[in-house]
């Protein structure tokens, strides 16, 4: 027995000595490493291949982490330590001698500004997964937790605290989204692209209502929202000449079963109660192989505007938004990942967010939040979006095949009594109310193939092919009613089907000329084909007619950037980029004025930008600043031919110059301050005769100055983590049109400031939070639609709203 025990001890000692010698040998040996900066998981996989060691880790421990990479001759241990710098990951060895990563306790209680901003946030703005601080572009990242704390429920709330980003919002889907002063791009094709992960949404064509229907997604299991400022035409195509908004969703987690449920209640002054109920469940099927994630929510908006007249109602802008998403992740092989996501959402509103405004006095015509309506104005939008992303990592490059299918249905009624009813009465028709009935459809199928090189400190490249097919239709007419009931005469009926095809090849190359200097050049060549038909009938259109046309055009967009790292915490960049929106045919009527051209051209722009990104004061202060100059030509606008019908035209040139500044400061573990500022000088460079604008006139709906400021205090309350905070946003004065114009009539919108408060406490098993929006109940005019020299309708910012919420994770 003693010999047996002695033999086991000798064997154990021999094994221990062997492992020690092996470990010492590995430590002593130096290898040449070349691991690119970026996603930590990808970097560790490259490290394993180059070091020839065994390294085990949990995928969930690496999510959202990035590394600065390394290059040179190092030992395996030293190289791994370099890769893990700035993370809480530690290394130990198991009995076999393999290295194992685990999450250690925080060593430095001092907060870092880059934890939530520039260092640890990985974005896909440049179609690569990389830290936002390394992207030579002004990118804002909106964290879902911060949005929920502020009570955000829709797109207008998400962008409210983003100076230089505006959304004219009036109902379930009516909205014109703009970035950096391109506010006149509110018709035709959109100037701001909207993506869900890597899937394009909306319409890129001028006849698909793309400019008025940006996807207004609820906070449905979102990781964060990325806002890319400036033209993104090289990587994202025609619909992003002003910028891009990307909803980034949470991926299914194969590691553990988890989820959360959230309930929020709101009360708005002058209005009704609202609520939000949402839930998320993540179900792992097999570790590191498969998982399914399901999310659903419903939000009820209580409303606060009232109407008088034939269609009198209270809280007319009330409504609901309901949505669900199911996402499945499958990794059948180590290098192959497939993700299928289906999103469905429906938003309905009883009416619109308007009040009647006297443009002479600047006061409400009938009283605050009141509008005269002779016909009801319900509106709705239903969206279904299916996306499949297949990713194969070949080592030297990553191949993505992304397929998406989108179907959108829109319906809106709008009261037209004020403009058309007098005409009908003079013609002897005993009408009591008149309204427009519009129905829109968008069907989009797109396929993208993208090849992305392995991250490198020498040369990186990206190449892609994009195929897009769209069908859209806007149908409807003008209806009327008499005292006896619905009218029987056909006043106006129309159907406007359109098709749009887009085939584009794109790519870029980044050369790391030195460890500090990176140069990027990119190009996209696209071929667009459109077909549009305008069929109309009725008394107001002069009888039955059908007209339309086809168009074909080729567009090329360019990108050139230079990024220079001054040191490990400071960098500068310059960026030159172009963008465009497609033109198309005008569907003229027999009664259309001969001054209206049968075709309108694409408009385009060049943007010149310089930026500075830094993490100062031991990385507790983060700065992101940019200066830009945008030259915009052949601006697309609506022109009226003297009747009730309007068409597209090109309205001249404009120049937009601006500056942006974002600051994040964590002076201590308890305090955080965030601030942002936008300065915009947007003017016409030539006369825009179709709009009545003249050279030197400011572009409409663009504030010279807008800013936001937020402060958060973290504390301990009753033994639990808690926070209190305040936020302030300011929007400067704007003009709704051009001075002296009878087409785009002017009206000066005064500046306004809105204050909000937030507070919350974490009881570990659940969290309680509360917020107040518009604490001072400020009356701010977000937008004004000018109908005549004396009358218009205004969108007024939401009155004081109080909300409470409880979130239960599991």
């Amino acid at each position: 027995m003693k010999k047996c025990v002695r033999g086991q001890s000798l064997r154990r000692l021999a094994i221990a000595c062997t492992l020690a010698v092996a470990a010492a040998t590995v430590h002593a040996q130096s290898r040449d490493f070349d691991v690119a900066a970026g996603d930590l998981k990808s970097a560790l996989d490259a490290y394993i291949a180059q070091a020839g060691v065994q390294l085990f880790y949990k995928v969930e421990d690496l999510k959202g982490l990035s590394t600065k990479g390394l290059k040179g001759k190092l030992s395996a241990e030293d190289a791994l330590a370099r890769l893990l710098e700035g993370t809480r990951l530690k290394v130990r060895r198991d009995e076999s001698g393999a290295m194992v990563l685990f999450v250690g306790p925080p060593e430095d209680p001092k907060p870092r500004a880059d934890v939530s901003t520039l260092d640890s946030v990985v974005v896909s703005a440049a179609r690569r997964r990389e830290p936002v601080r390394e992207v030579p572009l002004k990118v804002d990242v909106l964290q879902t937790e911060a949005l929920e704390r502020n009570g955000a429920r829709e797109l207008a709330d998400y962008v409210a605290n983003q100076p230089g980003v505006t959304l004219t919002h009036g109902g379930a889907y009516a909205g014109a989204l703009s970035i950096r002063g391109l506010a006149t791009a509110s018709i035709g094709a959109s100037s701001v692209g909207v993506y869900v992960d890597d899937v394009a949404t909306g319409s890129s064509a001028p006849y698909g209502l793309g400019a008025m229907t940006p996807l207004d997604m609820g906070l449905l299991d979102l990781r964060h929202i990325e806002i890319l400022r400036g033209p993104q035409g090289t990587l994202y195509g025609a619909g992003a000449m002003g910028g891009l908004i990307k909803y980034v969703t949470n991926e299914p987690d194969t590691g553990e079963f988890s989820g959360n449920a959230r309930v929020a209640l709101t009360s708005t002054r002058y209005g009704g109660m609202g609520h939000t109920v949402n839930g998320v469940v993540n179900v792992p099927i097999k570790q590191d192989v498969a998982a399914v994630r399901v999310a659903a929510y419903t939000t009820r908006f209580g409303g606060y505007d009232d109407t008088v007249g034939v269609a009198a109602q209270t809280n007319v802008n009330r409504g609901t938004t309901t949505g669900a998403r199911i996402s499945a992740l499958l990794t059948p092989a180590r290098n192959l990942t497939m993700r299928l996501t289906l999103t469905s959402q429906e938003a309905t509103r009883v009416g619109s967010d308007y009040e009647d405004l006297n443009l002479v006095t600047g006061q409400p015509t009938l009283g605050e939040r009141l509008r005269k309506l002779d016909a009801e104005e319900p509106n709705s939008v239903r969206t279904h979006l299916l996306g499949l992303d297949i990713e194969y990592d070949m080592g030297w490059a990553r191949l993505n095949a992304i397929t998406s299918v989108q179907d959108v249905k829109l319906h809106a009624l709008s009261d037209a009594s004020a403009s058309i009813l007098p005409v009908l009465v003079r013609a002897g028709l005993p009408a009591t109310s008149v309204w427009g009935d519009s129905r829109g459809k968008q069907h989009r199928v797109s396929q993208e193939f993208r090849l992305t090189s392995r991250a490198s400190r020498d040369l990186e490249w990206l190449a892609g092919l994009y195929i897009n097919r769209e069908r859209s239709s806007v149908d409807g007419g003008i209806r009327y009613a008499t005292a006896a009931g619905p009218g029987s005469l056909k006043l106006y009926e129309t159907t406007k089907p359109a098709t749009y095809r887009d085939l584009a090849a794109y790519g870029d190359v980044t050369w790391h000329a030195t460890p500090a200097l990176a140069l990027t050049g990119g190009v996209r060549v696209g071929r667009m084909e459109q077909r549009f038909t305008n069929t109309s009938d009725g008394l107001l259109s002069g009888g039955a007619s059908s007209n339309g046309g086809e168009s074909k055009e080729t567009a090329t967009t360019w990108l050139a950037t230079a990024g220079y790292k001054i040191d490990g915490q400071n960098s500068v960049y310059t960026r030159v980029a172009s963008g465009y929106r497609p033109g198309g045919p005008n569907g003229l009527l027999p009664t259309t004025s001969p001054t209206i051209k049968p075709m309108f051209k694409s408009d385009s722009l060049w943007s010149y930008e310089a930026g500075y990104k830094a993490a100062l004061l031991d990385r507790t202060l983060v700065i992101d600043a940019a200066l830009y100059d945008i030259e915009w030509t052949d601006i697309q606008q609506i022109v009226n031919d003297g009747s009730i019908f309007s068409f597209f035209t090109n309205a001249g040139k404009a120049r937009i110059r601006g500056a942006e500044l974002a600051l994040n400061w964590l002076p201590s573990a308890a305090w955080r301050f965030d601030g942002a500022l936008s300065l915009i000088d947007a003017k016409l460079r030539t006369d825009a005769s179709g709009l009545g604008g003249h050279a030197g006139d400011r572009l409409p709906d663009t504030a010279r100055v807008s800013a936001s400021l937020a402060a958060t205090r973290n504390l301990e309350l009753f033994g639990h983590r808690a926070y209190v905070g305040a936020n302030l946003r300011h929007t400067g004065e704007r003009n709704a049109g051009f001075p002296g114009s009878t087409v785009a009539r002017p009206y000066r919108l005064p500046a306004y400031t809105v204050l909000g408060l937030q507070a919350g406490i974490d009881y570990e098993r659940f969290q309680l939070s509360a917020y107040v929006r518009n604490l001072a109940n400020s009356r701010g005019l977000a937008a004004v639609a000018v109908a005549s020299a004396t009358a218009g309708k205004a969108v007024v910012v939401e009155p004081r709203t109080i909300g409470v919420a409880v979130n239960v994770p599991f």
Side-chain angles (χ1 to χ4, degrees):
M1 177 67 70
K2 290 182 179 180
K3 290 183 179 180
C4 182
V5 172
R6 186 179 300 170
Q8 290 179 355
S9 299
L10 289 174
R11 283 195 296 271
R12 290 175 180 172
L13 179 60
I15 292 174
C17 291
T18 302
L19 292 177
V21 171
T25 302
V26 170
H27 184 273
Q29 290 178 345
S30 295
R31 295 175 177 265
D32 287 321
F33 287 95
D34 186 2
V35 180
D39 178 60
L40 181 57
K41 181 181 181 301
S42 300
L44 290 177
D45 291 342
Y47 164 80
I48 292 172
Q50 296 176 31
V53 299
Q54 284 187 305
L55 177 67
F56 298 101
Y57 56 80
K58 292 182 179 179
V59 175
E60 57 266 28
D61 290 343
L62 307 184
K63 285 189 175 180
L65 299 181
S66 61
T67 179
K68 298 179 180 179
L70 61 91
K71 187 175 184 179
K73 187 177 289 291
L74 297 166
S75 68
E77 278 78 6
D78 289 342
L80 183 58
R82 289 268 299 274
L83 292 176
L84 300 180
E85 282 181 359
T87 74
R88 289 173 52 192
L89 293 172
K90 306 298 180 184
V91 184
R92 65 175 174 83
R93 287 189 180 273
D94 64 10
E95 293 183 356
S96 68
M99 292 184 288
V100 179
L101 297 187
F102 65 97
V103 179
E107 296 178 351
D108 184 3
K110 189 174 184 179
R112 302 283 188 180
D114 55 2
V115 168
S116 59
T117 313
L118 291 184
D119 270 354
S120 65
V121 178
V122 176
V123 298
S124 57
R127 293 297 182 96
R128 293 179 180 274
R129 292 185 283 266
E130 56 188 336
V132 65
R133 62 179 172 81
E134 296 185 1
V135 181
L137 170 71
K138 184 70 168 62
V139 182
D140 299 311
V141 181
L142 314 183
Q143 299 291 353
T144 301
E145 181 182 5
L147 293 172
E148 288 181 339
R149 287 183 175 186
N150 293 336
R153 297 167 295 175
E154 55 184 344
L155 183 57
D157 300 329
Y158 309 156
V159 302
N161 291 324
Q162 299 301 307
V165 182
T166 60
L167 176 68
T168 303
H169 191 61
Y173 68 86
L177 186 63
S178 68
I179 297 177
R180 287 185 172 175
L182 300 180
T184 55
S186 58
I187 50 87
S190 175
S191 68
V192 178
V194 179
Y195 271 63
V196 178
D197 297 318
D198 265 344
V199 173
T201 70
S203 175
S204 299
Y207 290 110
L209 297 176
M212 297 185 64
T213 57
L215 178 61
D216 191 350
M217 181 179 288
L219 287 177
L220 184 56
D221 195 27
L222 299 181
R223 184 191 308 169
H224 62 251
I225 300 174
E226 299 174 14
I227 300 180
L228 285 61
R229 297 175 183 249
Q232 309 298 321
T234 304
L235 294 180
Y236 293 96
M241 79 172 188
L244 188 89
I245 290 182
K246 178 179 287 191
Y247 298 104
V248 180
T249 65
N250 287 312
E251 290 187 357
D253 183 356
T254 65
E256 62 178 356
F257 177 86
S258 63
N260 69 75
R262 184 174 185 269
V263 177
L265 300 176
T266 63
S267 176
T268 302
R269 189 178 182 185
Y270 318 116
M273 294 290 294
H275 65 261
T276 297
V277 179
N278 60 42
V280 179
V281 177
N282 183 88
V283 182
I285 299 175
K286 186 176 182 181
Q287 176 79 31
D288 296 332
V289 176
V292 174
R293 193 175 183 93
V294 180
Y297 86 109
T298 181
T299 297
R300 182 184 187 276
F301 299 85
Y304 46 83
D305 288 332
D306 300 333
T307 58
V308 297
V310 177
Q313 291 192 65
T314 59
N315 302 331
V316 69
N317 55 336
R318 67 187 184 276
T320 60
T321 299
T322 303
R325 177 186 299 113
I326 180 169
S327 183
L329 180 68
L330 177 63
T331 308
R334 179 179 177 182
N335 297 331
L336 178 63
T337 302
M338 296 180 286
R339 185 184 178 192
L340 178 67
T341 303
L342 173 62
T343 302
S344 180
Q345 179 174 288
E346 182 171 13
T348 61
R349 299 290 185 272
V350 175
S352 302
D353 302 341
Y354 295 119
E355 72 172 21
D356 286 336
L357 185 68
N358 186 317
L359 302 185
V360 177
T361 64
Q363 298 299 314
T365 305
L366 304 172
E368 291 189 12
R369 302 168 308 284
L370 280 177
R371 185 180 176 208
K372 182 179 183 300
L373 279 186
D374 293 324
E376 296 182 349
E377 295 186 328
N379 52 89
S380 64
V381 56
R382 185 174 63 191
T383 303
H384 298 300
L385 183 64
L386 176 67
L388 173 62
D389 186 351
I390 301 176
E391 180 175 300
Y392 181 66
D393 191 344
M394 297 177 287
W396 58 275
R398 186 178 70 249
L399 174 65
N400 287 85
I402 304 166
T403 304
S404 66
V405 180
Q406 173 195 262
D407 278 291
V408 179
K409 291 186 177 180
L410 313 117
H411 183 214
L413 302 183
S414 57
D415 185 14
S417 301
S419 59
I420 300 180
L421 188 59
V423 177
L424 300 183
V425 172
R426 285 196 299 269
L429 194 64
T432 56
S433 62
V434 184
W435 64 93
D437 186 347
S438 300
R439 296 179 183 272
K441 295 181 181 179
Q442 298 174 354
H443 177 74
R444 177 174 187 155
V445 179
S446 63
Q447 178 72 61
E448 183 172 7
F449 301 95
R450 186 171 69 248
L451 197 61
T452 307
S453 71
R454 173 185 170 186
S456 169
R457 290 181 178 269
D458 295 319
L459 194 69
E460 297 175 325
W461 53 266
L462 179 151
L465 179 68
Y466 181 72
I467 306 168
N468 183 38
R469 300 288 185 270
E470 297 181 25
R471 296 197 313 268
S472 65
S473 178
V474 179
D475 306 326
I478 296 177
R479 319 275 190 258
Y480 73 99
T482 66
S488 58
L489 290 177
K490 182 184 292 186
L491 296 181
Y492 178 65
E493 297 291 334
T494 184
T495 177
K496 299 178 179 180
T499 61
Y500 175 83
R501 296 184 178 183
D502 184 1
L503 175 63
Y506 65 91
D508 64 37
V509 177
T510 299
W511 175 41
H512 296 276
T514 71
L517 177 64
L519 305 175
T520 299
V523 63
R524 185 187 188 102
V525 179
R527 175 70 173 175
M528 284 68 62
E529 297 182 3
Q530 291 187 72
R531 180 177 298 169
F532 171 71
T533 303
N534 183 358
T535 300
S536 60
D537 194 8
L539 297 176
L540 295 176
S541 65
S545 65
S546 181
N547 202 354
E550 298 180 2
S551 67
K552 297 181 181 180
E553 59 182 341
T554 300
T556 303
T557 53
W558 302 91
L559 170 69
T561 67
Y564 183 76
K565 296 180 180 179
I566 301 173
D567 53 36
Q569 310 300 330
N570 295 264
S571 64
V572 294
Y573 70 86
T574 59
R575 185 174 190 268
V576 179
S578 64
Y580 79 102
R581 294 187 300 166
N586 267 321
L588 305 182
L589 302 172
T591 56
T592 301
S593 168
T595 60
I596 306 299
K597 297 180 180 180
M599 304 286 292
F600 62 98
K601 301 183 296 183
S602 60
D603 56 355
S604 60
L605 59 77
W606 280 91
S607 173
Y608 308 89
E609 179 178 345
Y612 171 62
K613 296 185 178 184
L616 308 175
L617 303 179
D618 196 21
R619 294 194 301 175
T620 61
L621 174 64
V622 173
I623 299 175
D624 192 355
L627 298 172
Y628 61 87
D629 185 333
I630 297 174
E631 305 294 333
W632 190 7
T633 60
D634 295 322
I635 303 172
Q636 292 179 9
Q637 283 297 320
I638 287 291
V639 61
N640 192 287
D641 70 343
S643 66
I644 62 173
F645 306 107
S646 57
F647 302 91
F648 289 104
T649 188
N650 298 96
K653 300 179 181 180
R655 184 178 191 181
I656 305 172
R657 292 179 291 186
E660 295 165 339
L661 175 65
L663 300 174
N664 310 109
W665 183 36
L666 279 76
S668 68
W671 284 98
R672 177 187 175 106
F673 297 92
D674 300 281
L677 172 68
S678 172
L679 306 174
I680 299 178
D681 180 23
K683 295 179 180 179
L684 287 174
R685 294 187 62 190
T686 62
D687 290 350
S689 56
L691 297 171
H694 299 86
D697 289 346
R698 288 177 55 190
L699 294 184
D701 299 315
T702 302
R704 288 183 183 272
V705 181
S706 54
S708 65
L709 180 65
T712 302
R713 174 74 162 89
N714 297 307
L715 62 149
E716 188 173 292
L717 188 64
F718 308 121
H720 299 281
R721 290 182 301 170
Y723 69 89
V724 294
N727 67 281
L728 189 74
R729 60 184 172 95
H730 173 80
T731 301
E733 61 91 15
R734 296 134 289 143
N735 199 328
F738 294 104
S741 174
T742 58
V743 180
R745 295 179 182 272
Y747 179 74
R748 181 182 175 277
L749 284 71
Y752 65 90
T753 302
V754 176
L755 173 66
L757 300 176
Q758 308 86 35
I761 185 169
D762 186 352
Y763 286 98
E764 295 183 1
R765 292 188 177 182
F766 64 94
Q767 297 94 38
L768 295 177
S769 60
Y771 64 86
V772 181
R773 297 159 60 90
N774 197 357
L775 177 65
N777 202 41
S778 301
R779 174 182 162 79
L781 300 185
V784 171
V786 181
S788 68
T790 60
K793 55 183 182 180
V795 177
V796 183
V797 297
E798 183 183 40
R800 182 188 302 119
T801 298
I802 300 173
V804 294
V806 57
N807 186 75
V808 182
F810 57 87

